[in-house]
Amino acid sequence: MAALDDFLTLDDLAAQCGVSRRTVARWISATSPGLPVTKLGRRPLVHRNDLADWLRARRVQRNVRRTR
């Protein structure tokens, strides 16, 4: 179904990120803010754009050591 092509199941997301399904469930239930999901019936789905935005918000830049 074309309307669902941009959505990932929790199992698909876990496989793509190289983590367990349980870890993905923790990402969703996190309170600061958690990974957004869309529920289709009881099945949670993650939109690819939501995943990209969520990951971008967690980007950390390394501090560059300065020399005097």
Side-chain angles (χ1 to χ4, degrees):
M1 180 180 249
L4 297 178
D5 288 346
D6 289 335
F7 288 89
L8 298 167
T9 66
L10 300 191
D11 290 330
D12 292 338
L13 180 56
Q16 284 190 13
C17 292
V19 298
S20 70
R21 190 177 194 279
R22 188 175 187 178
T23 297
V24 172
R26 274 185 277 197
W27 291 348
I28 292 167
S29 65
T31 58
S32 63
L35 179 62
V37 295
T38 300
K39 286 203 173 183
L40 184 62
R42 289 183 163 175
R43 189 171 84 167
L45 301 171
V46 177
H47 194 277
R48 293 178 191 274
N49 291 341
D50 290 337
L51 174 61
D53 292 343
W54 186 80
L55 289 171
R56 208 172 291 112
R58 276 145 191 78
R59 184 177 297 158
V60 176
Q61 272 190 318
R62 296 181 70 186
N63 291 332
V64 177
R65 189 178 274 185
R66 294 185 200 176
T67 58
R68 290 184 174 196

